Amino acid sequence: MIPKINRLLYATDLSPNAEYAFRYAVNSALMHDARIIILHVIESMPSALHLEMGFIMGDEKAKELFEKRVSAALDRVKKRLKVFCEKELAGDPKGANRVQRIEICEGYPAEEILEKANELDCDAIVMGTHSKGFLENTFVGSVAKRVLRRTRKPVFIIPLPRGKTDITFMDDET
């Protein structure tokens, strides 16, 4: 039986070319009549640094700072999604309505991607990779590699192009 994809998890690091991989998520969602969940993981600080920040700033101020980071990331995702839809899906309202929700969380990216894919009952994962290894054409990025090693779900790894593309975002946060 041909597998049915109902829900895709699109993991983004919000890098300038990350939306390039989103094209593949939208295409897959349209082909399978699926929904997309966008996930951005804010990488955890080392625990010693987290404790030190709490000590220096106070726990309330540190929490407030983190909440601002989450809010800023959510705003960036929404802004990019709006631009993407206007640019790529102007004549296709079905494509623009594929995003079911946006999740922002803190943790170690590979672990959070795996956890959210299971928690949200996603059938497949779409993510880009920068291929920053010393043999760039041989190795997949470290987060993508960790996800591939530990999941039983299909994972679509999209190599992100170097330099600017027609969907590159150079917003104020990058």
Side-chain angles (χ1 to χ4, degrees), residues 10 17-25 28 125-131 140 144 155-161:
Y10 163 66
N17 281 336
E19 300 311 307
Y20 183 81
F22 188 61
R23 285 177 167 162
Y24 289 86
S28 293
I125 301 167
V126 178
M127 58 192 303
T129 183
H130 300 283
S131 300
V140 175
V155 181
F156 300 94
I157 304 293
I158 313 301
L160 300 179

Side-chain angles (χ1 to χ4, degrees), residues 67 101 107-108:
E67 288 173 0
R101 67 200 277 184
Y108 298 101

Side-chain angles (χ1 to χ4, degrees), residues 149-162:
R149 282 184 180 163
R150 295 180 43 209
T151 190
R152 304 297 341 134
K153 296 179 184 292
V155 181
F156 300 94
I157 304 293
I158 313 301
L160 300 179
R162 292 180 209 191

